Amino acid sequence: MSNTEGFEATGLQDFFGDGTSSERVTVMLAAFEGWNDAGEAASDALKFLSRHWDSEKIASIDADEYYDFQFTRPSLKRTASGGHRIKWPTTRISRAEVPFSNLDIIFVTGVEPSYKWRAYTAELIALAKELDVDCIVLAGALLADVPHSRPIPVSASCEEPDLQESLSLEPSSYEGPIGIVGVVSEMAGLADIPSISLWAAVPHYVGQAPSPKAQLALLNRIEELLQAPLDTHLLTEEAEAWERGVDELATEDPEVAAYVRQLEEAKDTADLPEASGESIAREFERYLKRRRRD
């Protein structure tokens, strides 16, 4: 699994690599629009990374096999020459090299399929095998009872014991309905490809897209996992403007304002037991690692 037995890795490059630029580490990042993507935070996060690292398309998954076009409709796009073309819902596969690192990224972005999830997932996992993917990172976002005025929680779970121990991850305890993200994670495990699932909690009372604060929270967690510094200052400004806008809307409705205060109090109370010396030291260590990389 890892080339660094007995060494506590700080991210996926450390865990899967040998510390040299000749040893490439390949990570598949996947997000799907639809049920798994509250506020489109997850798909927007991957679109940001895809642009940031100038990814190039290398493959796609045939739309006719997996989509109900009455539910996920194609769209008509006008071209610069005045013509038009139909854009079909699909799954796009692209590749990028992260500058100044030994990291290759395979992006998987698209709409959650309507049909044949097992066949769809098998096709995706076969592609991951073909591309020698070391790990799959799945990004999702869900609506939750969290206040917009506090940091957006991002949970990170993994079923691979070595990754759990090395990267301080937890196994998932969730039971209930799942989307394609959960199916991909399960099938990856059966194919002996470790996967990590990231879920951002989007305030349910402002769950419409875009959700820049949740997008930024996911990007910060991905940055930490990949050990790849990102320039997110523009998105940080968007997230701050989004929060100010929600603040203004909340003050206009006394019931909403009271509900937000209730969520804030619940969040602050729940966080109090975590303010231990151990948790503070852990967060400070993460901060120092990011500063050293920057």
Side-chain angles (χ1 to χ4, degrees):
M1 174 63 65
S2 170
N3 296 320
T4 55
E5 184 176 353
F7 171 71
E8 184 176 350
T10 60
L12 295 178
Q13 289 189 69
D14 282 342
F15 187 85
F16 290 103
D18 64 359
T20 69
S21 58
S22 60
E23 178 70 18
R24 305 297 295 178
V25 176
T26 302
V27 175
M28 178 176 279
L29 290 179
F32 301 89
E33 299 173 25
W35 192 78
N36 312 270
D37 194 23
E40 298 180 3
S43 57
D44 282 346
L46 262 63
K47 289 174 185 175
F48 175 95
L49 292 173
S50 183
R51 292 192 302 268
H52 185 71
W53 289 325
D54 296 322
S55 73
E56 295 184 358
K57 182 179 177 180
I58 58 173
S60 62
I61 295 180
D62 184 18
D64 287 344
E65 288 291 317
Y66 301 113
Y67 292 100
D68 178 352
F69 296 133
Q70 288 186 324
F71 178 74
T72 308
R73 290 190 175 273
S75 57
L76 193 66
K77 299 290 184 180
R78 294 292 172 182
T79 64
S81 62
H84 62 269
R85 63 183 178 87
I86 295 177
K87 183 179 179 182
W88 297 92
T90 187
T91 301
R92 184 179 190 269
I93 317 295
S94 59
R95 184 203 295 268
E97 292 184 6
V98 178
F100 311 110
S101 78
N102 65 334
L103 195 60
D104 295 325
I105 302 295
I106 306 298
F107 290 102
V108 178
T109 54
V111 182
E112 182 179 66
S114 307
Y115 306 121
K116 301 180 181 178
W117 281 19
R118 284 177 287 191
Y120 175 91
T121 308
E123 190 171 339
L124 191 58
I125 296 301
L127 180 63
K129 284 284 192 181
E130 180 183 334
L131 295 171
D132 295 322
V133 167
D134 293 295
C135 182
I136 299 176
V137 177
L138 298 151
L142 51 84
L143 298 176
D145 293 328
V146 296
H148 72 279
S149 52
R150 298 293 184 268
I152 296 292
V154 177
S155 64
S157 62
C158 175
E159 302 304 321
E160 165 57 46
D162 290 342
L163 270 176
Q164 288 177 15
E165 181 178 358
S166 187
L167 302 183
S168 301
L169 303 172
E170 298 291 336
S172 175
S173 59
Y174 174 78
E175 290 184 318
I178 59 173
I180 195 64
V181 166
V183 178
V184 172
S185 177
E186 178 72 13
M187 295 295 284
L190 294 175
D192 293 323
I193 303 176
S195 67
I196 297 171
S197 295
L198 304 177
W199 286 92
V202 177
H204 70 89
Y205 55 92
V206 280
Q208 65 273 20
S211 187
K213 192 171 181 178
Q215 180 188 347
L216 182 62
L218 279 170
L219 286 171
N220 288 339
R221 196 67 177 93
I222 292 171
E223 176 186 36
E224 186 177 282
L225 280 175
L226 298 182
Q227 303 163 273
L230 298 171
D231 181 2
T232 57
H233 72 279
L234 290 178
L235 184 58
T236 299
E237 293 176 1
E238 291 180 20
E240 292 171 351
W242 175 87
E243 184 171 335
R244 289 194 299 270
V246 179
D247 285 341
E248 294 174 3
L249 290 174
T251 56
E252 295 173 0
D253 189 323
E255 290 186 5
V256 173
Y259 179 63
V260 171
R261 285 194 299 271
Q262 179 184 337
L263 290 176
E264 290 172 340
E265 292 170 2
K267 174 63 176 172
D268 294 342
T269 301
D271 285 346
L272 283 175
E274 294 298 321
S276 63
E278 181 181 352
S279 65
I280 292 173
R282 185 167 58 248
E283 290 303 317
F284 186 62
E285 183 180 358
R286 286 181 175 179
Y287 167 77
L288 288 178
K289 288 175 182 176
R290 292 176 67 182
R291 285 297 299 270
R292 283 197 294 270
R293 290 197 299 273
D294 291 342

